[in-house]
PDB file of all heavy atoms in Angstrom:
ATOM      1  N   PRO A 140     -62.305 108.908 -29.013  1.00 96.00           N
ATOM      2  CA  PRO A 140     -63.705 109.304 -28.829  1.00 96.00           C
ATOM      3  C   PRO A 140     -63.863 110.821 -28.774  1.00 96.00           C
ATOM      4  O   PRO A 140     -62.904 111.548 -28.531  1.00 96.00           O
ATOM      5  CB  PRO A 140     -64.062 108.679 -27.481  1.00 96.00           C
ATOM      6  CG  PRO A 140     -62.766 108.666 -26.734  1.00 96.00           C
ATOM      7  CD  PRO A 140     -61.702 108.428 -27.778  1.00 96.00           C
ATOM      8  N   ASN A 142     -65.144 113.338 -26.474  1.00 97.00           N
ATOM      9  CA  ASN A 142     -65.574 113.578 -25.103  1.00 97.00           C
ATOM     10  C   ASN A 142     -64.700 114.685 -24.513  1.00 97.00           C
ATOM     11  O   ASN A 142     -63.940 115.320 -25.244  1.00 97.00           O
ATOM     12  CB  ASN A 142     -65.548 112.274 -24.274  1.00 97.00           C
ATOM     13  CG  ASN A 142     -64.164 111.654 -24.163  1.00 97.00           C
ATOM     14  OD1 ASN A 142     -63.159 112.344 -24.079  1.00 97.00           O
ATOM     15  ND2 ASN A 142     -64.119 110.326 -24.166  1.00 97.00           N
ATOM     16  N   LEU A 144     -62.052 114.525 -22.943  1.00 98.00           N
ATOM     17  CA  LEU A 144     -60.617 114.214 -22.960  1.00 98.00           C
ATOM     18  C   LEU A 144     -60.050 114.118 -24.376  1.00 98.00           C
ATOM     19  O   LEU A 144     -58.896 113.732 -24.548  1.00 98.00           O
ATOM     20  CB  LEU A 144     -60.355 112.890 -22.223  1.00 98.00           C
ATOM     21  CG  LEU A 144     -60.736 112.839 -20.755  1.00 98.00           C
ATOM     22  CD1 LEU A 144     -60.490 111.442 -20.191  1.00 98.00           C
ATOM     23  CD2 LEU A 144     -59.978 113.882 -19.951  1.00 98.00           C
ATOM     24  N   ILE A 148     -56.246 113.001 -25.242  1.00 97.00           N
ATOM     25  CA  ILE A 148     -56.034 111.695 -25.870  1.00 97.00           C
ATOM     26  C   ILE A 148     -55.328 111.867 -27.210  1.00 97.00           C
ATOM     27  O   ILE A 148     -54.370 111.142 -27.518  1.00 97.00           O
ATOM     28  CB  ILE A 148     -57.372 110.944 -26.036  1.00 97.00           C
ATOM     29  CG1 ILE A 148     -57.921 110.539 -24.656  1.00 97.00           C
ATOM     30  CG2 ILE A 148     -57.200 109.716 -26.928  1.00 97.00           C
ATOM     31  CD1 ILE A 148     -59.354 110.013 -24.674  1.00 97.00           C
ATOM     32  N   ALA A 167     -55.371  98.884 -25.155  1.00 97.00           N
ATOM     33  CA  ALA A 167     -56.400  97.871 -25.354  1.00 97.00           C
ATOM     34  C   ALA A 167     -57.633  98.528 -25.959  1.00 97.00           C
ATOM     35  O   ALA A 167     -57.830  99.736 -25.827  1.00 97.00           O
ATOM     36  CB  ALA A 167     -56.761  97.223 -24.015  1.00 97.00           C
ATOM     37  N   PRO A 168     -58.477  97.743 -26.602  1.00 97.00           N
ATOM     38  CA  PRO A 168     -59.745  98.298 -27.086  1.00 97.00           C
ATOM     39  C   PRO A 168     -60.569  98.840 -25.912  1.00 97.00           C
ATOM     40  O   PRO A 168     -60.376  98.431 -24.765  1.00 97.00           O
ATOM     41  CB  PRO A 168     -60.442  97.097 -27.735  1.00 97.00           C
ATOM     42  CG  PRO A 168     -59.345  96.134 -28.044  1.00 97.00           C
ATOM     43  CD  PRO A 168     -58.310  96.338 -26.971  1.00 97.00           C
ATOM     44  N   PRO A 169     -61.481  99.752 -26.180  1.00 97.00           N
ATOM     45  CA  PRO A 169     -62.288 100.343 -25.096  1.00 97.00           C
ATOM     46  C   PRO A 169     -63.214  99.321 -24.437  1.00 97.00           C
ATOM     47  O   PRO A 169     -63.502  98.272 -25.002  1.00 97.00           O
ATOM     48  CB  PRO A 169     -63.103 101.425 -25.805  1.00 97.00           C
ATOM     49  CG  PRO A 169     -63.103 101.048 -27.242  1.00 97.00           C
ATOM     50  CD  PRO A 169     -61.843 100.288 -27.489  1.00 97.00           C
ATOM     51  N   VAL A 170     -63.645  99.666 -23.240  1.00 96.00           N
ATOM     52  CA  VAL A 170     -64.616  98.840 -22.514  1.00 96.00           C
ATOM     53  C   VAL A 170     -66.013  99.371 -22.834  1.00 96.00           C
ATOM     54  O   VAL A 170     -66.179 100.559 -23.112  1.00 96.00           O
ATOM     55  CB  VAL A 170     -64.327  98.852 -20.994  1.00 96.00           C
ATOM     56  CG1 VAL A 170     -64.601 100.193 -20.373  1.00 96.00           C
ATOM     57  CG2 VAL A 170     -65.078  97.773 -20.268  1.00 96.00           C
ATOM     58  N   THR A 171     -66.993  98.505 -22.792  1.00 96.00           N
ATOM     59  CA  THR A 171     -68.365  98.928 -23.089  1.00 96.00           C
ATOM     60  C   THR A 171     -68.998  99.606 -21.878  1.00 96.00           C
ATOM     61  O   THR A 171     -68.600  99.357 -20.732  1.00 96.00           O
ATOM     62  CB  THR A 171     -69.231  97.726 -23.489  1.00 96.00           C
ATOM     63  OG1 THR A 171     -69.325  96.831 -22.373  1.00 96.00           O
ATOM     64  CG2 THR A 171     -68.651  97.001 -24.701  1.00 96.00           C
ATOM     65  N   ILE A 175     -68.909  98.783 -17.695  1.00 97.00           N
ATOM     66  CA  ILE A 175     -68.642  99.815 -16.686  1.00 97.00           C
ATOM     67  C   ILE A 175     -69.783  99.833 -15.671  1.00 97.00           C
ATOM     68  O   ILE A 175     -69.556  99.825 -14.459  1.00 97.00           O
ATOM     69  CB  ILE A 175     -68.457 101.201 -17.334  1.00 97.00           C
ATOM     70  CG1 ILE A 175     -67.145 101.256 -18.126  1.00 97.00           C
ATOM     71  CG2 ILE A 175     -68.477 102.306 -16.268  1.00 97.00           C
ATOM     72  CD1 ILE A 175     -66.962 102.514 -18.953  1.00 97.00           C
ATOM     73  N   TRP A 178     -69.613  96.821 -13.403  1.00 97.00           N
ATOM     74  CA  TRP A 178     -68.532  96.945 -12.422  1.00 97.00           C
ATOM     75  C   TRP A 178     -68.962  97.882 -11.294  1.00 97.00           C
ATOM     76  O   TRP A 178     -68.757  97.581 -10.117  1.00 97.00           O
ATOM     77  CB  TRP A 178     -67.251  97.459 -13.098  1.00 97.00           C
ATOM     78  CG  TRP A 178     -66.072  97.476 -12.172  1.00 97.00           C
ATOM     79  CD1 TRP A 178     -65.149  96.496 -11.990  1.00 97.00           C
ATOM     80  CD2 TRP A 178     -65.690  98.542 -11.277  1.00 97.00           C
ATOM     81  NE1 TRP A 178     -64.226  96.868 -11.045  1.00 97.00           N
ATOM     82  CE2 TRP A 178     -64.541  98.122 -10.590  1.00 97.00           C
ATOM     83  CE3 TRP A 178     -66.218  99.789 -10.996  1.00 97.00           C
ATOM     84  CZ2 TRP A 178     -63.898  98.924  -9.642  1.00 97.00           C
ATOM     85  CZ3 TRP A 178     -65.580 100.587 -10.041  1.00 97.00           C
ATOM     86  CH2 TRP A 178     -64.439 100.146  -9.385  1.00 97.00           C
ATOM     87  N   LEU A 186     -67.652 105.450 -10.820  1.00 97.00           N
ATOM     88  CA  LEU A 186     -66.382 105.896 -11.388  1.00 97.00           C
ATOM     89  C   LEU A 186     -66.464 107.381 -11.718  1.00 97.00           C
ATOM     90  O   LEU A 186     -67.516 107.860 -12.147  1.00 97.00           O
ATOM     91  CB  LEU A 186     -66.070 105.132 -12.672  1.00 97.00           C
ATOM     92  CG  LEU A 186     -65.773 103.641 -12.540  1.00 97.00           C
ATOM     93  CD1 LEU A 186     -65.689 103.000 -13.916  1.00 97.00           C
ATOM     94  CD2 LEU A 186     -64.488 103.428 -11.773  1.00 97.00           C
ATOM     95  N   PRO A 187     -65.363 108.116 -11.547  1.00 97.00           N
ATOM     96  CA  PRO A 187     -65.354 109.513 -11.989  1.00 97.00           C
ATOM     97  C   PRO A 187     -65.630 109.582 -13.493  1.00 97.00           C
ATOM     98  O   PRO A 187     -65.190 108.712 -14.267  1.00 97.00           O
ATOM     99  CB  PRO A 187     -63.929 109.974 -11.661  1.00 97.00           C
ATOM    100  CG  PRO A 187     -63.460 109.044 -10.583  1.00 97.00           C
ATOM    101  CD  PRO A 187     -64.116 107.730 -10.892  1.00 97.00           C
ATOM    102  N   GLU A 188     -66.344 110.596 -13.920  1.00 97.00           N
ATOM    103  CA  GLU A 188     -66.762 110.743 -15.321  1.00 97.00           C
ATOM    104  C   GLU A 188     -65.587 110.643 -16.287  1.00 97.00           C
ATOM    105  O   GLU A 188     -65.661 109.953 -17.304  1.00 97.00           O
ATOM    106  CB  GLU A 188     -67.492 112.076 -15.510  1.00 97.00           C
ATOM    107  CG  GLU A 188     -68.037 112.278 -16.907  1.00 97.00           C
ATOM    108  CD  GLU A 188     -69.167 111.327 -17.266  1.00 97.00           C
ATOM    109  OE1 GLU A 188     -69.917 110.892 -16.360  1.00 97.00           O
ATOM    110  OE2 GLU A 188     -69.305 110.999 -18.455  1.00 97.00           O
ATOM    111  N   GLN A 189     -64.482 111.327 -15.994  1.00 97.00           N
ATOM    112  CA  GLN A 189     -63.355 111.316 -16.920  1.00 97.00           C
ATOM    113  C   GLN A 189     -62.641 109.965 -16.940  1.00 97.00           C
ATOM    114  O   GLN A 189     -62.065 109.594 -17.966  1.00 97.00           O
ATOM    115  CB  GLN A 189     -62.385 112.453 -16.618  1.00 97.00           C
ATOM    116  CG  GLN A 189     -62.976 113.800 -16.969  1.00 97.00           C
ATOM    117  CD  GLN A 189     -62.066 114.947 -16.613  1.00 97.00           C
ATOM    118  OE1 GLN A 189     -61.084 114.799 -15.890  1.00 97.00           O
ATOM    119  NE2 GLN A 189     -62.389 116.126 -17.124  1.00 97.00           N
ATOM    120  N   VAL A 190     -62.683 109.224 -15.858  1.00 98.00           N
ATOM    121  CA  VAL A 190     -62.132 107.862 -15.876  1.00 98.00           C
ATOM    122  C   VAL A 190     -62.983 107.003 -16.813  1.00 98.00           C
ATOM    123  O   VAL A 190     -62.453 106.225 -17.615  1.00 98.00           O
ATOM    124  CB  VAL A 190     -62.053 107.263 -14.457  1.00 98.00           C
ATOM    125  CG1 VAL A 190     -61.692 105.780 -14.495  1.00 98.00           C
ATOM    126  CG2 VAL A 190     -61.046 108.027 -13.599  1.00 98.00           C
ATOM    127  N   MET A 191     -64.302 107.165 -16.750  1.00 97.00           N
ATOM    128  CA  MET A 191     -65.177 106.434 -17.676  1.00 97.00           C
ATOM    129  C   MET A 191     -64.901 106.841 -19.125  1.00 97.00           C
ATOM    130  O   MET A 191     -64.896 106.000 -20.021  1.00 97.00           O
ATOM    131  CB  MET A 191     -66.650 106.675 -17.336  1.00 97.00           C
ATOM    132  CG  MET A 191     -67.095 105.946 -16.094  1.00 97.00           C
ATOM    133  SD  MET A 191     -68.873 105.949 -15.871  1.00 97.00           S
ATOM    134  CE  MET A 191     -69.179 107.638 -15.431  1.00 97.00           C
ATOM    135  N   GLU A 192     -64.653 108.126 -19.350  1.00 97.00           N
ATOM    136  CA  GLU A 192     -64.338 108.589 -20.698  1.00 97.00           C
ATOM    137  C   GLU A 192     -63.027 107.973 -21.199  1.00 97.00           C
ATOM    138  O   GLU A 192     -62.918 107.587 -22.361  1.00 97.00           O
ATOM    139  CB  GLU A 192     -64.273 110.115 -20.741  1.00 97.00           C
ATOM    140  CG  GLU A 192     -65.621 110.769 -20.575  1.00 97.00           C
ATOM    141  CD  GLU A 192     -65.564 112.283 -20.560  1.00 97.00           C
ATOM    142  OE1 GLU A 192     -64.475 112.869 -20.370  1.00 97.00           O
ATOM    143  OE2 GLU A 192     -66.624 112.885 -20.757  1.00 97.00           O
ATOM    144  N   TRP A 193     -62.051 107.870 -20.313  1.00 98.00           N
ATOM    145  CA  TRP A 193     -60.779 107.233 -20.677  1.00 98.00           C
ATOM    146  C   TRP A 193     -61.008 105.766 -21.037  1.00 98.00           C
ATOM    147  O   TRP A 193     -60.482 105.269 -22.028  1.00 98.00           O
ATOM    148  CB  TRP A 193     -59.769 107.364 -19.538  1.00 98.00           C
ATOM    149  CG  TRP A 193     -58.458 106.718 -19.864  1.00 98.00           C
ATOM    150  CD1 TRP A 193     -58.034 105.475 -19.497  1.00 98.00           C
ATOM    151  CD2 TRP A 193     -57.398 107.274 -20.652  1.00 98.00           C
ATOM    152  NE1 TRP A 193     -56.791 105.229 -20.010  1.00 98.00           N
ATOM    153  CE2 TRP A 193     -56.379 106.311 -20.711  1.00 98.00           C
ATOM    154  CE3 TRP A 193     -57.228 108.487 -21.305  1.00 98.00           C
ATOM    155  CZ2 TRP A 193     -55.181 106.527 -21.403  1.00 98.00           C
ATOM    156  CZ3 TRP A 193     -56.036 108.696 -21.984  1.00 98.00           C
ATOM    157  CH2 TRP A 193     -55.035 107.728 -22.038  1.00 98.00           C
ATOM    158  N   LEU A 194     -61.806 105.068 -20.223  1.00 98.00           N
ATOM    159  CA  LEU A 194     -62.118 103.664 -20.507  1.00 98.00           C
ATOM    160  C   LEU A 194     -62.872 103.518 -21.828  1.00 98.00           C
ATOM    161  O   LEU A 194     -62.799 102.469 -22.472  1.00 98.00           O
ATOM    162  CB  LEU A 194     -62.936 103.053 -19.363  1.00 98.00           C
ATOM    163  CG  LEU A 194     -62.193 102.869 -18.042  1.00 98.00           C
ATOM    164  CD1 LEU A 194     -63.165 102.521 -16.927  1.00 98.00           C
ATOM    165  CD2 LEU A 194     -61.099 101.815 -18.175  1.00 98.00           C
ATOM    166  N   GLY A 195     -63.569 104.559 -22.247  1.00 97.00           N
ATOM    167  CA  GLY A 195     -64.227 104.569 -23.547  1.00 97.00           C
ATOM    168  C   GLY A 195     -63.236 104.707 -24.697  1.00 97.00           C
ATOM    169  O   GLY A 195     -63.591 104.500 -25.861  1.00 97.00           O
ATOM    170  N   PHE A 196     -62.003 105.052 -24.377  1.00 98.00           N
ATOM    171  CA  PHE A 196     -60.915 105.087 -25.358  1.00 98.00           C
ATOM    172  C   PHE A 196     -60.099 103.800 -25.274  1.00 98.00           C
ATOM    173  O   PHE A 196     -59.838 103.145 -26.279  1.00 98.00           O
ATOM    174  CB  PHE A 196     -60.024 106.312 -25.126  1.00 98.00           C
ATOM    175  CG  PHE A 196     -58.694 106.254 -25.829  1.00 98.00           C
ATOM    176  CD1 PHE A 196     -58.629 106.185 -27.206  1.00 98.00           C
ATOM    177  CD2 PHE A 196     -57.513 106.270 -25.104  1.00 98.00           C
ATOM    178  CE1 PHE A 196     -57.398 106.114 -27.863  1.00 98.00           C
ATOM    179  CE2 PHE A 196     -56.286 106.212 -25.743  1.00 98.00           C
ATOM    180  CZ  PHE A 196     -56.219 106.127 -27.121  1.00 98.00           C
ATOM    181  N   THR A 197     -59.670 103.435 -24.073  1.00 98.00           N
ATOM    182  CA  THR A 197     -58.849 102.237 -23.898  1.00 98.00           C
ATOM    183  C   THR A 197     -59.136 101.597 -22.547  1.00 98.00           C
ATOM    184  O   THR A 197     -59.183 102.280 -21.527  1.00 98.00           O
ATOM    185  CB  THR A 197     -57.340 102.549 -24.033  1.00 98.00           C
ATOM    186  OG1 THR A 197     -56.599 101.338 -23.873  1.00 98.00           O
ATOM    187  CG2 THR A 197     -56.863 103.571 -23.029  1.00 98.00           C
ATOM    188  N   ASN A 198     -59.314 100.304 -22.558  1.00 98.00           N
ATOM    189  CA  ASN A 198     -59.513  99.548 -21.322  1.00 98.00           C
ATOM    190  C   ASN A 198     -58.173  98.967 -20.889  1.00 98.00           C
ATOM    191  O   ASN A 198     -57.931  97.774 -20.952  1.00 98.00           O
ATOM    192  CB  ASN A 198     -60.540  98.430 -21.516  1.00 98.00           C
ATOM    193  CG  ASN A 198     -60.865  97.738 -20.201  1.00 98.00           C
ATOM    194  OD1 ASN A 198     -60.745  98.326 -19.138  1.00 98.00           O
ATOM    195  ND2 ASN A 198     -61.268  96.486 -20.279  1.00 98.00           N
ATOM    196  N   GLY A 199     -57.300  99.878 -20.489  1.00 96.00           N
ATOM    197  CA  GLY A 199     -55.970  99.495 -20.035  1.00 96.00           C
ATOM    198  C   GLY A 199     -54.919  99.874 -21.056  1.00 96.00           C
ATOM    199  O   GLY A 199     -55.122  99.736 -22.256  1.00 96.00           O
ATOM    200  N   ILE A 207     -52.156 102.252 -16.874  1.00 97.00           N
ATOM    201  CA  ILE A 207     -53.527 102.414 -16.398  1.00 97.00           C
ATOM    202  C   ILE A 207     -54.178 101.059 -16.630  1.00 97.00           C
ATOM    203  O   ILE A 207     -54.168 100.543 -17.753  1.00 97.00           O
ATOM    204  CB  ILE A 207     -54.263 103.560 -17.105  1.00 97.00           C
ATOM    205  CG1 ILE A 207     -53.498 104.875 -16.864  1.00 97.00           C
ATOM    206  CG2 ILE A 207     -55.701 103.653 -16.592  1.00 97.00           C
ATOM    207  CD1 ILE A 207     -54.030 106.063 -17.613  1.00 97.00           C
ATOM    208  N   PHE A 208     -54.672 100.470 -15.559  1.00 98.00           N
ATOM    209  CA  PHE A 208     -55.184  99.106 -15.610  1.00 98.00           C
ATOM    210  C   PHE A 208     -56.492  99.020 -16.387  1.00 98.00           C
ATOM    211  O   PHE A 208     -57.245  99.989 -16.458  1.00 98.00           O
ATOM    212  CB  PHE A 208     -55.440  98.569 -14.202  1.00 98.00           C
ATOM    213  CG  PHE A 208     -54.226  98.484 -13.320  1.00 98.00           C
ATOM    214  CD1 PHE A 208     -54.345  98.672 -11.961  1.00 98.00           C
ATOM    215  CD2 PHE A 208     -52.971  98.211 -13.831  1.00 98.00           C
ATOM    216  CE1 PHE A 208     -53.255  98.583 -11.126  1.00 98.00           C
ATOM    217  CE2 PHE A 208     -51.856  98.117 -13.010  1.00 98.00           C
ATOM    218  CZ  PHE A 208     -52.000  98.307 -11.642  1.00 98.00           C
ATOM    219  N   PRO A 209     -56.797  97.823 -16.889  1.00 98.00           N
ATOM    220  CA  PRO A 209     -58.146  97.597 -17.408  1.00 98.00           C
ATOM    221  C   PRO A 209     -59.134  97.583 -16.240  1.00 98.00           C
ATOM    222  O   PRO A 209     -58.760  97.288 -15.097  1.00 98.00           O
ATOM    223  CB  PRO A 209     -58.056  96.232 -18.087  1.00 98.00           C
ATOM    224  CG  PRO A 209     -56.833  95.591 -17.564  1.00 98.00           C
ATOM    225  CD  PRO A 209     -55.934  96.673 -17.045  1.00 98.00           C
ATOM    226  N   LEU A 210     -60.365  97.892 -16.528  1.00 98.00           N
ATOM    227  CA  LEU A 210     -61.401  97.984 -15.494  1.00 98.00           C
ATOM    228  C   LEU A 210     -61.420  96.764 -14.583  1.00 98.00           C
ATOM    229  O   LEU A 210     -61.515  96.896 -13.361  1.00 98.00           O
ATOM    230  CB  LEU A 210     -62.766  98.180 -16.164  1.00 98.00           C
ATOM    231  CG  LEU A 210     -63.973  98.273 -15.245  1.00 98.00           C
ATOM    232  CD1 LEU A 210     -63.887  99.509 -14.361  1.00 98.00           C
ATOM    233  CD2 LEU A 210     -65.249  98.312 -16.078  1.00 98.00           C
ATOM    234  N   GLU A 211     -61.305  95.581 -15.151  1.00 97.00           N
ATOM    235  CA  GLU A 211     -61.393  94.362 -14.348  1.00 97.00           C
ATOM    236  C   GLU A 211     -60.203  94.163 -13.408  1.00 97.00           C
ATOM    237  O   GLU A 211     -60.254  93.330 -12.509  1.00 97.00           O
ATOM    238  CB  GLU A 211     -61.587  93.128 -15.245  1.00 97.00           C
ATOM    239  CG  GLU A 211     -60.494  92.886 -16.249  1.00 97.00           C
ATOM    240  CD  GLU A 211     -60.679  93.639 -17.572  1.00 97.00           C
ATOM    241  OE1 GLU A 211     -61.577  94.496 -17.697  1.00 97.00           O
ATOM    242  OE2 GLU A 211     -59.882  93.357 -18.492  1.00 97.00           O
ATOM    243  N   PHE A 213     -58.941  96.939 -11.671  1.00 97.00           N
ATOM    244  CA  PHE A 213     -58.985  97.991 -10.651  1.00 97.00           C
ATOM    245  C   PHE A 213     -59.022  97.304  -9.286  1.00 97.00           C
ATOM    246  O   PHE A 213     -59.681  96.274  -9.123  1.00 97.00           O
ATOM    247  CB  PHE A 213     -60.228  98.865 -10.816  1.00 97.00           C
ATOM    248  CG  PHE A 213     -60.169  99.847 -11.967  1.00 97.00           C
ATOM    249  CD1 PHE A 213     -59.177  99.816 -12.935  1.00 97.00           C
ATOM    250  CD2 PHE A 213     -61.139 100.818 -12.080  1.00 97.00           C
ATOM    251  CE1 PHE A 213     -59.139 100.728 -13.993  1.00 97.00           C
ATOM    252  CE2 PHE A 213     -61.125 101.739 -13.122  1.00 97.00           C
ATOM    253  CZ  PHE A 213     -60.134 101.686 -14.073  1.00 97.00           C
ATOM    254  N   PHE A 258     -59.087 113.811 -13.832  1.00 97.00           N
ATOM    255  CA  PHE A 258     -58.261 112.916 -14.636  1.00 97.00           C
ATOM    256  C   PHE A 258     -57.529 113.685 -15.737  1.00 97.00           C
ATOM    257  O   PHE A 258     -56.394 113.358 -16.078  1.00 97.00           O
ATOM    258  CB  PHE A 258     -59.124 111.791 -15.221  1.00 97.00           C
ATOM    259  CG  PHE A 258     -58.322 110.617 -15.707  1.00 97.00           C
ATOM    260  CD1 PHE A 258     -57.665 109.788 -14.813  1.00 97.00           C
ATOM    261  CD2 PHE A 258     -58.237 110.342 -17.056  1.00 97.00           C
ATOM    262  CE1 PHE A 258     -56.922 108.697 -15.254  1.00 97.00           C
ATOM    263  CE2 PHE A 258     -57.505 109.255 -17.513  1.00 97.00           C
ATOM    264  CZ  PHE A 258     -56.850 108.434 -16.610  1.00 97.00           C
TER     265      PHE A 258
END
Side-chain angles (χ1 to χ4, degrees):
N142 61 36
L144 299 177
I148 292 170
V170 69
T171 64
I175 290 172
W178 186 92
L186 293 172
E188 184 67 29
Q189 290 177 347
V190 171
M191 286 192 289
E192 290 178 344
W193 180 262
L194 291 169
F196 165 62
T197 181
N198 186 26
I207 301 174
F208 298 148
L210 179 64
E211 60 273 9
F213 285 10
F258 197 69

